[in-house]
Amino acid sequence: MISPPVFFIFSLLLSFSHAAVKDFCVADFSAPEGPAGYSCKNPANVTVDDFIYSGLGVAGNPSNSIFKTAITNALVDDFPALNGLGVSMARADIAPGGVIPLHTHPRASEILFAVEGTVTAGFISAANDVYIKTLNKGDIIILPQGLLHFTVNTGSTQALIFVSFSSENPGLQILDNALFGNNFPTELITASTFLDGAEIKRLKAVFNGTG
Amino acid sequence: MISPPVFFIFSLLLSFSHAAVKDFCVADFSAPEGPAGYSCKNPANVTVDDFIYSGLGVAGNPSNSIFKTAITNALVDDFPALNGLGVSMARADIAPGGVIPLHTHPRASEILFAVEGTVTAGFISAANDVYIKTLNKGDIIILPQGLLHFTVNTGSTQALIFVSFSSENPGLQILDNALFGNNFPTELITASTFLDGAEIKRLKAVFNGTG
Amino acid sequence: MISPPVFFIFSLLLSFSHAAVKDFCVADFSAPEGPAGYSCKNPANVTVDDFIYSGLGVAGNPSNSIFKTAITNALVDDFPALNGLGVSMARADIAPGGVIPLHTHPRASEILFAVEGTVTAGFISAANDVYIKTLNKGDIIILPQGLLHFTVNTGSTQALIFVSFSSENPGLQILDNALFGNNFPTELITASTFLDGAEIKRLKAVFNGTG
Amino acid sequence: MISPPVFFIFSLLLSFSHAAVKDFCVADFSAPEGPAGYSCKNPANVTVDDFIYSGLGVAGNPSNSIFKTAITNALVDDFPALNGLGVSMARADIAPGGVIPLHTHPRASEILFAVEGTVTAGFISAANDVYIKTLNKGDIIILPQGLLHFTVNTGSTQALIFVSFSSENPGLQILDNALFGNNFPTELITASTFLDGAEIKRLKAVFNGTG
Amino acid sequence: MISPPVFFIFSLLLSFSHAAVKDFCVADFSAPEGPAGYSCKNPANVTVDDFIYSGLGVAGNPSNSIFKTAITNALVDDFPALNGLGVSMARADIAPGGVIPLHTHPRASEILFAVEGTVTAGFISAANDVYIKTLNKGDIIILPQGLLHFTVNTGSTQALIFVSFSSENPGLQILDNALFGNNFPTELITASTFLDGAEIKRLKAVFNGTG
Amino acid sequence: MISPPVFFIFSLLLSFSHAAVKDFCVADFSAPEGPAGYSCKNPANVTVDDFIYSGLGVAGNPSNSIFKTAITNALVDDFPALNGLGVSMARADIAPGGVIPLHTHPRASEILFAVEGTVTAGFISAANDVYIKTLNKGDIIILPQGLLHFTVNTGSTQALIFVSFSSENPGLQILDNALFGNNFPTELITASTFLDGAEIKRLKAVFNGTG
């Protein structure tokens, strides 16, 4: 007799039809956004392709960057299905001598994975202790939330690293761009960092800053 | 002199009129939904009846289900006032020999309360340890988040259980429906579970699955 | 050939033997306690009986209380397996005319379920709006976190209610005991509530307070 | 060569243009609100003035209040940039003999800072223990979430206190207004607090209550 | 003049010496564990090597497993520096025709990255919708928390996948091991899944179960 | 008749004696510490003085610092009662021309309150936008979590600011100390910031760094 299970399954789908939405909340960038993330796309319009992202499979071109590094992101703004799920990734292709410059992620810890090549990575703790290590292919390092860290390709070949974040939206503040890539007044940078004004102006020219 | 307190109270209501909304956020299913839950109904339109739900007082009819169990929910989708408050409930009426089939709740732990009758309940831990116990009237069991669990009416009378969840939206994944109640291809079920294809097809017939 | 799966299963148990602990963290009251809860009992010593509690099956005797109410708890301190799982329960047996006096739970919202009898329950919002309703058998009411609420048995028979909390440790502050059941100086109660000193002293006598 | 860094910076701004929004979420009171807070104002319309609030610099007039206290808030509803950031403040100007009456904050702990004058502050724990101390200029006291607390100006000069909350929206429930400043029926107040009906009616007259 | 900054820096280190600990909390498996994780290793004994893990650089041998898959973990129990940081990783080496069997993670969402080879991956939602896709090298799929999912190597070469979790301790419940790799009584498996007893006994033999 | 309430109150204290502990968790620095904070001091040994801190009432001496600023903290490590309560404070006394140098808090947002004097404060967003404003007495500014910010005394008199944090343990990373106050190798600073080596060495001399 088929109808009982059919009835049962339908009633289940019915009573859980809203709840099921909460299994995922694919971001709808056109709807309001709140502190916990983006509004959810109507689940009736969600397909398997919403859960797939192919951007990390393509190497970036590090020669386009003064840092000789190309970063490719798979954050919630690139991959809307991550909305509310607390994890994201990125890749960096780093030419020999290239660098991921000193930066922080305000809202996430990071695992950095050396997939190809040899890189030197490190972070500075709030106690101002310096933790630096050269990573060979296959090594990972954990970089705690909100602390300054960097990666340099200290090998002779292009390096590939993958990073995983503890948030779908970790944020990124690159020191050079924060200080020298905008209109942060030179005298206030000097006052708040003791950096020499001439050095600041030199770097503002490099990073396209003003003031 | 009455006016000072009046003034004081009004100014309080004024300065806290938005804040008061946050005491509760009755779900408005017609507004955008985000990772933290539904948008809030305008508090000016909220009445005491929004905070009351009567559905759990009515016994379901277990004979309508192949599992000889009727589930009645008081989750956020049934009772919008639970939105954002982190708790929900449900009841199950289980005929003798009936069962709440093996399932998980992806986002909540559960307290199961044996109100009437005798049931055997259990869960399997991630270490694959099996924790099973027969509950008599008045016993409760805690079922940790995300682990497979089940309940069987092993008594001779209809059983009544109430469950409490640590989320207003615990989610529900019933193993039989997830495997056999949809178009999950038989060959992939076999590959990912080692279940025999004939057994899978037998159960797809029972649970109205295809493929 | 059996050994491969055996090997596979063992290696799994091995690599997840610590992780499995985290499925549950049965409280060890003899070990240090932190803001997130109690330390975990060694999982090697955890049995199914740790996950079972029978205290809610026994009616309390409301005649032992001036409130004509008996409360029986299934909180983390009564049921250690709830530690870290974010849910707990309690029962109240209320004689006709009995009351669960005005109180708050600092860390949890509550679902109150009228299982037997007729009770009048309500809460006051931060906007000082009063939400009161008479609940018949089978009705539930949601009481948002941290707000004053109460229940009175307005029926002619003993009432039984079950409550579910959104925390394993909701906390309880009963207004009468907080004001009149300790050494809170009468002049400071008067200054901070405008209650008349004589009325305070009358209630201190009832609730065994001093000062 | 300038274009590479330009390219690099632009591509960064591009790939993080949404993520940057999440650094802050200035409340848009005209858009939907959810359990986690208000929707975010379009960051393109956010200026530095959104992050500034001047209301706490102006002393309130305590003579307007029966409590001889004036409260000025810097909560999310007063200062929308706090939305989602988990912190807020308020000030109280308390005339000699004035009081911040007994109250709770359902969703936040509070640090109370005695900036000017001498005040006696205290809270009652859920174990009904009373913690009271006279604070001199420069002292702070921590008042744990959801517990009844009060402050009395026990000095001879006007007192100024600043408070900091662990939420942008702590909520406020003042005992007198919750009991006596609305239509909470006198008989239910008596039943749930044992307060004498005449005393309740006296205070309802003071706090503008009815019923 | 050197001494002022020296004094300043020292006083800073002093006043933040405890706080700095909180930047990281390397697990001390010998100390008590709570719901939020392991106790912290004394930071004075933490070195850069605590933040490095090399296990993911070594391919496992899939021929040791009946699933033709080798899993290598970098979870908190393998890499103690992840404690409290909310992220972890693992790798799977999958022979042609091999599989990561149907399983759930009770406490984490997962990003699965196809690094080498071609795999077919999918999950079943709580609405019993099936989301399946064949991933080529470089594709990622997001698998929401607590839902059943699987991966099959549908290519002709060994596949390598890396996974990232939104928790340092995601948990793992493999359906076959949970049902057939322990002493879960056959009659209760039948009752709670409708699986045929003979099929259960066949699989208990494969997965080394009893009862 | 007194004994009933006595019995009632005692039984309450009994059944909630553990729960009451959770109202607060005064840090015991001698016991294990975990990701959620310090272990709790035995509540039997907690007195009102544990909840009081007087350090913020005393002005620091800015002349002891190269930054012409003195910082006095009321964080969990200074004030153990804050453990687990999610709020803390600090004060800064800033001489004319003095500065709170560019820094971040990895785990908290901050409200900065200009209590005396005139200061210019600002932060840089992850989009590299600069938000700077001169604050007069009584103004507050909100500084979102994890972003670089600074304060300069741009007035002619000593400034006093109070700050409130959304964590009891916000962390502090001062850019100058992180780069120049330790053994961070000059060549790696140059590689990761493009700062000139001579400028780095000049500042290492100022901030007592090596390498």
Side-chain angles (χ1 to χ4, degrees), chain A residues 8-9 12 16, chain B residues 67 71 100-105 148 171-182 207, chain E residues 124-126 128 148 192:
Chain A
F8 182 71
I9 291 161
L12 259 177
F16 282 94
Chain B
F67 295 118
I71 293 176
I100 304 175
L102 207 63
H103 66 282
T104 60
H105 302 291
L148 284 162
L172 169 68
Q173 183 161 57
I174 296 176
L175 183 60
D176 284 326
N177 295 319
L179 266 60
F180 310 122
N182 49 34
F207 291 98
Chain E
I124 297 95
S125 75
N128 297 309
L148 284 162
S192 61

Side-chain angles (χ1 to χ4, degrees), chain B residues 16 25 27-28 35 44 47 58 67-68 70 99 116 127 129 133 137-139 141 153-154 166 168 186 195 198 204 206:
Chain B
F16 282 95
C25 174
D28 175 354
T47 71
V58 183
F67 295 118
K68 300 187 197 159
V99 59
E116 297 293 345
D129 294 322
K133 189 85 172 183
K137 176 176 180 167
D139 293 338
I141 183 170
N153 181 346
T154 48
S166 62
E168 71 264 29
T186 297
L195 285 169
K204 279 182 174 283
V206 175

Side-chain angles (χ1 to χ4, degrees), chain D residues 48-126:
Chain D
V48 65
D49 292 330
D50 286 293
F51 299 102
I52 308 292
Y53 181 71
S54 299
L56 296 188
V58 183
N61 180 354
S63 67
N64 284 344
S65 158
I66 189 174
F67 295 119
K68 300 186 197 161
T69 293
I71 294 176
T72 308
N73 293 312
L75 310 178
V76 66
D77 297 300
D78 313 287
F79 186 14
L82 299 183
N83 188 42
L85 297 183
V87 63
S88 59
M89 291 187 72
R91 75 177 281 162
D93 296 279
I94 316 176
V99 59
I100 303 174
L102 207 64
H103 65 283
T104 60
H105 302 290
R107 292 178 299 279
S109 292
E110 167 185 345
I111 295 178
L112 183 151
F113 193 147
V115 177
E116 296 294 344
T118 299
V119 296
T120 299
F123 70 95
I124 296 95
S125 76

Side-chain angles (χ1 to χ4, degrees), chain A residues 33 35 38 77 107 169 174 207, chain D residues 9 12 18-19 22-23 40:
Chain A
E33 177 180 10
Y38 295 101
D77 297 301
R107 292 178 299 278
N169 192 359
I174 296 177
F207 290 98
Chain D
I9 292 161
L12 259 178
H18 280 131
K22 284 294 189 319
D23 290 337
C40 309

Side-chain angles (χ1 to χ4, degrees), chain B residues 6-90:
Chain B
V6 178
F7 177 99
F8 181 71
I9 292 162
F10 276 22
S11 64
L12 259 178
L13 293 189
L14 208 63
S15 62
F16 282 95
S17 60
H18 280 131
V21 177
K22 283 294 189 320
D23 291 338
F24 45 79
C25 174
V26 178
D28 175 354
F29 296 136
S30 68
E33 176 180 10
Y38 296 101
S39 293
C40 309
K41 180 178 179 178
N42 181 342
N45 301 332
V46 171
T47 71
V48 65
D49 292 329
D50 286 293
F51 299 102
I52 308 292
Y53 181 71
S54 299
L56 296 188
V58 183
N61 181 354
S63 68
N64 284 344
S65 158
I66 190 176
F67 295 118
K68 300 187 197 159
T69 293
I71 293 176
T72 308
N73 293 312
L75 310 179
V76 67
D77 297 302
D78 312 288
F79 186 15
L82 300 183
N83 188 42
L85 297 184
V87 63
S88 60
M89 291 188 72

Side-chain angles (χ1 to χ4, degrees), chain B residues 112-195:
Chain B
L112 183 151
F113 193 146
V115 176
E116 297 293 345
T118 299
V119 296
T120 299
F123 71 94
I124 296 95
S125 75
N128 297 310
D129 294 322
V130 182
Y131 298 92
I132 298 177
K133 189 85 172 183
T134 295
L135 306 180
N136 295 308
K137 176 176 180 167
D139 293 338
I140 63 178
I141 183 170
I142 175 70
L143 303 164
Q145 174 174 318
L147 297 177
L148 284 162
H149 57 280
F150 70 94
T151 305
V152 179
N153 181 346
T154 48
S156 55
T157 60
Q158 182 160 315
L160 170 60
I161 67 174
F162 285 118
V163 298
S164 303
F165 296 109
S166 62
S167 166
E168 71 264 29
N169 191 359
L172 169 68
Q173 183 161 57
I174 296 176
L175 183 60
D176 284 326
N177 295 319
L179 266 60
F180 310 122
N182 49 34
N183 62 350
F184 192 173
T186 297
E187 64 273 22
L188 286 176
I189 301 176
T190 295
S192 62
T193 65
F194 286 23
L195 285 169

